[in-house]
Amino acid sequence: MSSLDIVEAEHLQASNLFYRNPALYDSVQADSDTVTVCRSLIDRHCPEARTLLDFGCGTGRDLAQLAQHFDCVGVDLQPGLVHYVHRVRPRLDVRIGDMRTVRLGRTAEVLVCLGNSLAYVHDNQDIQSAFRTFAAHARPESLLVLCSPVAAIEHSAPQQARVETHLGTATVTIHYEWDLRTQINTMRRHWVFDSGEEARDVIRRRVLGPRELELYAALAGFDIVEIISESGATRLTGPEAYTVARYRALSCLG
Ligand SMILES: C[S@@+](CC[C@H](N)C(=O)[O-])C[C@H]1O[C@@H](n2cnc3c(N)ncnc32)[C@H](O)[C@@H]1O
């Protein structure tokens, strides 16, 4: 990683509670159905697939399940998360890398970028670079599965939720801010654990509408197969969606 990437990773780590405490992320996400949805998309569109690369794999939570069926490699920008995976899920092949620049020197039948990881790449050129990375690891017919925010989250009043964690239950108050100019959703969370401990964090996610996803995919040589809502419905309601695309390779004009 370049020194700029290291600075960026450190900044993200400081701002996001889950990056500071990966076990907390695992416990909060324990009942996520991302892998179930992702597997059903792969089974539908690429049933013979045996190899998979996960860009922005975080704690390796999803990768651990996917690795039961696929020969997998995961990549994440946060050294702390990758070290956590090495400690907690030592059988997984997970490496430090930036999805904008990383080149693993291999291709796979399935490329995934789940849990909004793409949304942490904010600028148009960087998003294009991320798609180029997906293409650099694709072979003709490889399937790309993304889960990313496709719509703004706008709440004028703060939202509150009770969240079960391995540290006990917490009340989390969330303020959302939507910047239409940059298409970035900012989420500010205030955690108050029943133990009395408190924490705050800030998460900024870039929203890419379905038409933009089509464009970035096409520019990198992928054709959209489908974009569906989290529930599996074809009518998109947001805020997140699954995008499935197939690599056709670039023409000489690409
Ligand atoms: C919300 S987490 C999702 C992790 C995992 N995919 C999941 O669903 O549990 C977003 C992840 O993207 C990673 N990330 C952000 N920017 C990245 C980049 N440029 N390259 C690689 N990973 C990145 C973060 O470090 C973080 O682990």
Side-chain angles (χ1 to χ4, degrees):
M1 288 207 299
S2 73
S3 53
L4 208 67
D5 293 342
I6 292 169
V7 169
E8 198 172 318
E10 282 172 356
H11 172 72
L12 273 172
Q13 186 187 15
S15 64
N16 188 322
L17 179 61
F18 290 150
Y19 301 169
R20 301 197 296 268
N21 189 339
L24 180 67
Y25 185 64
D26 269 351
S27 68
V28 168
Q29 294 292 330
D31 57 358
S32 148
D33 62 356
T34 304
V35 170
T36 310
V37 178
C38 181
R39 276 296 311 272
S40 73
L41 292 169
I42 297 169
D43 289 348
R44 192 179 328 160
H45 298 294
C46 201
E48 306 296 321
R50 292 288 170 267
T51 51
L52 182 148
L53 301 176
D54 183 356
F55 296 94
C57 65
T59 61
R61 169 182 73 89
D62 294 336
L63 200 59
Q65 292 181 60
L66 292 167
Q68 293 171 12
H69 304 276
F70 304 99
D71 176 10
C72 293
V73 178
V75 172
D76 200 277
L77 184 65
Q78 291 288 330
L81 293 183
V82 173
H83 297 148
Y84 171 84
V85 182
H86 291 164
R87 210 173 58 248
V88 174
R89 303 187 166 105
R91 292 160 71 101
L92 288 181
D93 182 348
V94 170
R95 306 167 190 189
I96 299 169
D98 186 329
M99 72 173 87
R100 293 168 296 184
T101 51
V102 72
R103 296 294 181 267
L104 297 170
R106 62 166 75 188
T107 59
E109 291 152 308
V110 180
L111 313 164
V112 302
C113 184
L114 304 171
N116 290 323
S117 296
L118 182 62
Y120 293 78
V121 178
H122 293 170
D123 296 330
N124 293 352
Q125 282 195 346
D126 286 342
I127 294 165
Q128 238 186 314
S129 299
F131 274 87
R132 271 195 218 108
T133 297
F134 302 149
H137 295 88
R139 41 185 101 152
E141 303 296 310
S142 286
L143 203 68
L144 174 65
V145 181
L146 307 173
C147 177
S148 61
V150 290
I153 303 179
E154 290 181 278
H155 291 290
S156 44
Q159 309 291 298
Q160 217 166 53
R162 292 280 288 166
V163 177
E164 303 296 331
T165 81
H166 73 302
L167 302 173
T169 310
T171 300
V172 187
T173 308
I174 310 174
H175 289 81
Y176 289 100
E177 229 173 84
W178 166 238
D179 183 335
L180 178 58
R181 180 66 188 90
T182 57
Q183 294 184 199
I184 290 181
N185 262 327
T186 301
M187 178 167 84
R188 292 175 204 282
R189 295 185 297 204
H190 179 201
W191 300 72
V192 181
F193 290 88
D194 287 355
S195 63
E197 234 181 292
E198 293 188 33
R200 291 177 191 272
D201 63 358
V202 182
I203 294 173
R204 294 190 172 83
R205 294 192 188 119
R206 166 74 190 264
V207 171
L208 292 175
R211 291 297 195 191
E212 285 177 289
L213 286 164
E214 280 173 1
L215 183 62
Y216 284 113
L219 288 172
F222 290 90
D223 292 322
I224 297 291
V225 177
E226 59 178 335
I227 303 182
I228 57 168
S229 72
E230 280 181 285
S231 65
T234 48
R235 183 171 179 282
L236 296 183
T237 48
E240 283 154 24
Y242 285 86
T243 300
V244 183
R246 200 182 292 286
Y247 190 60
R248 63 171 145 73
L250 286 172
S251 70
C252 55
L253 296 176

